[in-house]
Amino acid sequence: MQSADLVWVSVSTILVLFMVVPGLAMFYGGLVRSKNILSLMSQVLVTFALVTILWFAYGYSLAFSGGNALFGDLSKAFLSGVIDLPADSYALAGTIPELTFVAFQATFAGITCALIVGGFAERIKFSAVLIFMAIWFTFSYIPVAHMIWAEKGLLFGDALDFAGGTVVHINAGVAALVAAYVVGPRIGYGKEAMQPHNLPMTMIGAAMLWVGWFGFNGGSSLAANNQAALAVFNTLLATAAAIIVWVLVEWKFKGQPSLLGGASGAVAGLVGVTPAAGLVDPMGALIIGAVTSLFCVWGVNGLKRLLKADDSLDVFGIHGVGGIVGGILTGLFNAKAMGGPGLDSAGMIPGQLFNQIEGIVIAIVWSAVVSFIALKIASLVTGGLRVDKDEERQGLDISSHGEQGYHN
């Protein structure tokens, strides 16, 4: 066991937790209407807690132990034997204790599920959220993670995904889009203003996400080494490029740059560089951040109008679209011919691009099917996914939780 590696991954685990609570909760919370902020934050907080417990019970075992091309087995359910193993005895964990690897990966599972909340914000029953999350985590997050990151996984070693572009962002983005269709639009959507109630809060949340993302990406090296340093710098650079591009595009076409645009650009850049962070050089990261930002501007504007879905907080437009663009570009800029540390010859790029697209398509289809089924089951169990119209108009803070975020 290398002490420096243990410390770095442990700190990275804390940073990813910081991304969710308070980071994601504040980023999302500022974007909804004031009458729904506590509902939104409750869904993020409790979803993360629920998934952490399920990860301990069976999630880690099904994702990372034995099994077949789609699922692991239950040999490490409730972390059986993990604590008693000698440090650095598990190959995927490298030089850190397997328990540290378990904790780090638990935060990835938790934030993936929490991201989905933005797709159906402001109109769904709290009970339906929890049932949906438990099912989706079990049958979408776990198999996609296993396919890409576990040694026996279907796409292991083929589809490059350094820190979760496909496993986290595409997986969650597709689920949010499907949920937006199945749950249906908010009352008044497209007819009345639904402006963010607290943009300073959103900005603070975006800043917390950026800080925490250094653990998300840098920690995925699983060691305090040169790859971690590369991932950290690429995360800094790609995000900066994405912010500038988003603000400039908005300035050009809307006449004014906005804080919301800058914060959205930051998240787009972070999403785009996630699959590439330790696998491309800084110039590749700069281009990935800029290009991803361009596509995500379109994702939350033109594409959203085409899809006609009330994806409340643009989870698919940023995380889904950004994950797809970043995943494809990772296959390009990983090559040594493009400055990266990976593929030895330019002739290998088409094959790698095929592998990237294959992984993306499988994740999209898998997540979409599981999401639809999970939502239907949740609806049957809870007597419908939505709160009633009067409760929605009143706001979920009062109707679902009996508390208010703001008082006159």
Side-chain angles (χ1 to χ4, degrees):
M1 179 180 70
Q2 296 293 326
S3 297
D5 297 342
L6 168 60
V7 171
W8 170 237
V9 180
S10 297
V11 170
S12 295
T13 301
I14 295 168
L15 286 170
V16 181
L17 173 60
F18 182 72
M19 290 172 68
V20 191
V21 284
L24 183 66
M26 293 190 72
F27 180 78
Y28 275 179
L31 291 172
V32 297
R33 290 168 289 180
S34 59
K35 63 184 180 180
N36 295 313
I37 181 173
L38 300 185
S39 168
L40 187 285
M41 287 184 161
S42 295
Q43 291 174 19
V44 170
L45 175 65
V46 179
T47 289
F48 186 88
L50 173 65
V51 170
T52 298
I53 294 171
L54 297 180
W55 186 253
F56 161 70
Y58 62 84
Y60 172 72
S61 187
L62 287 176
F64 285 104
S65 64
N68 52 46
L70 301 180
F71 277 95
D73 56 41
L74 291 172
S75 61
K76 294 184 179 180
F78 295 98
L79 303 189
S80 175
V82 170
I83 298 174
D84 300 326
L85 289 174
D88 68 17
S89 62
Y90 179 58
L92 283 178
T95 61
I96 62 174
E98 185 175 0
L99 192 59
T100 304
F101 179 75
V102 174
F104 184 62
Q105 288 296 334
T107 61
F108 275 59
I111 194 172
T112 304
C113 293
L115 286 171
I116 301 170
V117 165
F120 46 57
E122 301 195 293
R123 73 265 203 198
I124 193 170
K125 292 178 181 176
F126 189 64
S127 56
V129 173
L130 300 185
I131 293 169
F132 165 76
M133 290 300 179
I135 298 170
W136 188 88
F137 162 75
T138 304
F139 295 102
S140 189
Y141 182 81
I142 288 174
V144 174
H146 180 81
M147 281 189 273
I148 291 179
W149 285 340
E151 289 179 323
K152 290 188 177 181
L154 178 67
L155 302 167
F156 181 76
D158 294 328
L160 300 175
D161 189 3
F162 184 73
T166 300
V167 175
V168 175
H169 298 293
I170 295 174
N171 210 1
V174 171
L177 180 62
V178 172
Y181 280 123
V182 174
V183 176
R186 289 165 289 180
I187 295 173
Y189 177 71
K191 299 177 183 178
E192 59 187 63
M194 297 184 178
Q195 298 299 320
H197 88 281
N198 194 328
L199 284 179
M201 179 183 290
T202 294
M203 172 58 204
I204 293 169
M208 290 175 173
L209 285 169
W210 195 355
V211 171
W213 225 290
F214 290 115
F216 194 78
N217 287 350
S220 292
S221 64
L222 300 179
N225 56 18
N226 288 340
Q227 189 178 49
L230 178 64
V232 166
F233 184 76
N234 283 346
T235 301
L236 180 67
L237 185 64
T239 308
I243 292 170
I244 296 300
V245 167
W246 194 299
V247 167
L248 289 177
V249 170
E250 193 174 57
W251 205 344
K252 168 69 175 177
F253 290 99
K254 294 186 177 181
Q256 293 176 311
S258 72
L259 176 64
L260 178 57
S264 300
V267 178
L270 290 163
V271 171
V273 78
T274 290
L279 303 176
V280 303
D281 77 336
M283 183 56 71
L286 179 75
I287 296 171
I288 288 172
V291 174
T292 301
S293 188
L294 281 173
F295 274 90
C296 288
V297 172
W298 170 71
V300 304
N301 291 288
L303 179 61
K304 187 173 185 177
R305 286 194 293 271
L306 290 173
L307 294 174
K308 297 180 180 179
D310 183 12
D311 177 4
S312 310
L313 307 183
D314 295 315
V315 186
F316 182 75
I318 292 181
H319 295 273
V321 171
I324 291 169
V325 174
I328 294 172
L329 293 180
T330 297
L332 175 64
F333 287 101
N334 173 254
K336 290 180 179 177
M338 302 298 291
L343 301 175
D344 289 324
S345 70
M348 300 171 68
I349 293 176
Q352 187 58 55
L353 290 175
F354 175 83
N355 290 340
Q356 298 301 106
I357 294 170
E358 178 188 31
I360 289 167
V361 170
I362 289 173
I364 289 172
V365 174
W366 191 285
S367 181
V369 172
V370 171
S371 299
F372 182 81
I373 295 172
L375 288 161
K376 291 300 182 181
I377 293 173
S379 180
L380 287 173
V381 173
T382 61
L385 296 170
R386 296 184 70 128
V387 300
D388 66 39
K389 292 182 179 180
D390 289 338
E391 290 177 328
E392 185 175 339
R393 290 191 182 97
Q394 182 184 34
L396 274 62
D397 290 358
I398 291 291
S399 64
S400 297
H401 302 282
E403 53 189 347
Q404 287 179 265
Y406 301 94
H407 299 269
N408 294 328

